[in-house]
Amino acid sequence: MARAGLTAERLTQAGAELADKVGFDQVTLSALARLFDVKVASLYSHVTNSHDLKTRIALLALQELADRAADAVAGRAGKDALVALGNVYRDYAREHPGRYAAMHFRLDRETAIASAGVRHSQMTRAILRGYDLTEPDQTHAVRLLGSVFHGFATLELEGGFGNSSPDSQESWTRTLDALDALLRAWPAPE
Amino acid sequence: MARAGLTAERLTQAGAELADKVGFDQVTLSALARLFDVKVASLYSHVTNSHDLKTRIALLALQELADRAADAVAGRAGKDALVALGNVYRDYAREHPGRYAAMHFRLDRETAIASAGVRHSQMTRAILRGYDLTEPDQTHAVRLLGSVFHGFATLELEGGFGNSSPDSQESWTRTLDALDALLRAWPAPE
DNA sequence: GACTTCTACCTAATACTATTAGGTAACTTC
DNA sequence: GAAGTTACCTAATAGTATTAGGTAGAAGTC
């Protein structure tokens, strides 16, 4: 019997593609085994269990997106950088909905700390250098931007914005305009 | 053998409580059957299948939250209303994480249209009356507010804001301040 | 109160997924 | 080519979802 040549990496990659096709929670060891024409038990030589596979997909997605984001903001500042970062998030969610969902798979503390997740907040903080914010306000702004990017991407994927006019692309553009204006005139605490 | 007195409503309610305790995707017919000390097959007299149960929990959550929101914004306007609505969302997510997750369970078109989901966007639009926005800008603002509320609640639940200082309550307050300022000075398209 | 009807809950069977234990044949290494 | 490693296998157990068909407890009728 010829060997399939499985590795944890190939399984992770295939799992990510499957996630984008059928949804992250439909990614099962059984489905992957079928894909590679292999018995399910055989996968346990490469990943420790289903949870491990999902963790690997999450880490892959976090890294892919962090790489794209780093690429996008390099050499940009101010609104330019803000728009670039926002678009990277939204585009990734639309191109890779399964991986995007995977990114929000609950990781245990150590894994999360060692993940590319930390680079995400660092990059968001970096684009705020183009705006005039005090230290604690930077943190608030990082959280606000993260909320908007994630919230918008999620609701758009869910179809929460319907097919109604104006189309969501326009709302997205105006949202980025609004965030830029907000960061330039960040209000003091009341 | 005495009867358990099951109904679709009791199962839905119990499912919602279970979701808050162990997570929405851990809500299974098996777990519910154990809870009521009944065989799994017996549940099929009351719900058509697992998907139906989850749909019912989602609808319950949508309605509960819409009711709370309506209550909160009644008699309020402007920033007052904005803060009240935002707090209702965030508090509900923290008190009922399982139900909050259930709300984002994918509903089919008809079910979604008949759900309390539509009241949510109506209420968000209502609080914008206190601000001076043109018609299409209102839609953009509704989407932005929805994104922020949902994104913040989700990231906070996930622990995405860490335990780091400043604490997330402060970021939340400042986020609401920022949104109010933004809506009062909504930028024109560029 | 006996008789019928209804239905809430049951048993039994099938199917899919996850996981572990232990075996065999295909590669690797020397 | 022999020895050792391991990729993949079979077999077994367990949890969950679903359907088909049976039984006993409740409700309604006379």
Side-chain angles (χ1 to χ4, degrees):
Chain A
M1 39 192 102
R3 299 195 172 184
L6 301 182
T7 63
E9 286 67 36
R10 288 192 64 195
L11 287 174
T12 307
Q13 190 65 39
E17 283 159 25
L18 187 60
D20 288 335
K21 223 180 291 179
V22 303
F24 182 61
D25 31 72
Q26 304 302 317
V27 174
T28 68
L29 292 178
S30 302
L32 273 188
R34 273 192 294 277
L35 211 63
F36 285 100
D37 198 26
V38 142
K39 298 296 169 183
V40 188
S42 307
L43 303 183
Y44 286 83
S45 304
H46 306 284
V47 294
T48 66
N49 53 31
S50 178
H51 185 276
D52 177 40
L53 173 69
K54 288 183 176 169
T55 300
R56 285 170 187 269
I57 298 174
L59 293 176
L60 171 72
L62 282 169
Q63 191 170 342
E64 274 187 4
L65 185 49
D67 289 347
R68 285 198 190 195
D71 216 45
V73 300
R76 289 198 166 91
K79 186 177 180 185
D80 240 29
L82 174 71
V83 169
L85 186 65
N87 280 330
V88 163
Y89 270 82
R90 177 169 177 250
D91 292 344
Y92 191 76
R94 301 204 295 178
E95 285 170 36
H96 299 294
R99 294 173 212 215
Y100 189 80
M103 287 201 314
H104 292 88
F105 182 67
R106 200 153 195 78
L107 302 175
D108 45 281
R109 214 161 201 62
E110 312 161 46
T111 313
I113 292 173
S115 79
V118 294
R119 288 168 62 203
H120 290 253
S121 50
Q122 285 168 355
M123 272 183 294
T124 308
R125 193 170 291 267
I127 70 167
L128 292 178
R129 283 197 210 105
Y131 298 94
D132 193 31
L133 297 176
T134 64
E135 165 47 42
D137 279 348
Q138 271 193 22
T139 302
H140 301 316
V142 166
R143 290 171 176 176
L144 172 58
L145 290 181
S147 298
V148 176
F149 292 167
H150 176 52
F152 197 99
T154 306
L155 295 181
E156 190 176 27
L157 275 185
E158 278 179 9
F161 297 153
N163 296 355
S164 52
S165 68
D167 68 6
S168 64
Q169 172 59 48
E170 181 154 357
S171 289
W172 176 245
T173 307
R174 299 301 305 284
T175 290
L176 292 172
D177 290 349
L179 288 175
D180 174 61
L182 177 59
L183 292 171
R184 277 193 278 110
W186 187 262
E190 320 217 335
Chain B
M1 39 194 101
R3 297 195 173 187
L6 300 182
T7 64
E9 286 67 36
R10 287 191 65 195
L11 287 174
T12 306
Q13 189 65 39
E17 282 159 25
L18 188 59
D20 289 335
K21 224 181 290 181
V22 302
F24 182 60
D25 30 74
Q26 304 301 316
V27 174
T28 67
L29 292 177
S30 302
L32 274 188
R34 273 192 295 276
L35 212 63
F36 285 100
D37 199 25
V38 142
K39 298 297 168 185
V40 188
S42 307
L43 303 184
Y44 285 83
S45 305
H46 306 285
V47 294
T48 65
N49 53 29
S50 179
H51 186 275
D52 177 41
L53 173 70
K54 288 182 175 170
T55 299
R56 287 170 186 269
I57 298 175
L59 293 175
L60 171 72
L62 282 169
Q63 191 170 343
E64 273 187 6
L65 184 49
D67 289 347
R68 285 197 189 194
D71 216 46
V73 301
R76 290 200 166 90
K79 185 176 180 183
D80 241 30
L82 174 71
V83 169
L85 186 64
N87 280 331
V88 163
Y89 271 82
R90 177 168 177 249
D91 291 346
Y92 190 76
R94 300 204 297 178
E95 284 170 36
H96 299 295
R99 294 173 212 216
Y100 188 80
M103 286 201 314
H104 292 90
F105 182 67
R106 198 153 196 81
L107 302 176
D108 45 281
R109 214 160 201 62
E110 313 161 46
T111 313
I113 292 171
S115 79
V118 295
R119 287 169 61 203
H120 289 254
S121 51
Q122 284 168 356
M123 272 183 292
T124 308
R125 193 170 290 267
I127 69 167
L128 291 178
R129 282 197 212 106
Y131 299 93
D132 193 28
L133 297 176
T134 65
E135 164 48 42
D137 279 348
Q138 270 193 24
T139 302
H140 301 317
V142 166
R143 291 170 176 177
L144 172 57
L145 289 181
S147 299
V148 176
F149 292 167
H150 176 53
F152 197 99
T154 306
L155 295 181
E156 189 176 29
L157 274 185
E158 277 178 9
F161 297 154
N163 296 354
S164 54
S165 68
D167 68 7
S168 63
Q169 172 59 48
E170 181 153 357
S171 288
W172 176 245
T173 306
R174 298 300 305 283
T175 290
L176 292 172
D177 290 347
L179 288 175
D180 174 60
L182 177 59
L183 292 172
R184 277 192 277 110
W186 187 260
E190 317 217 336

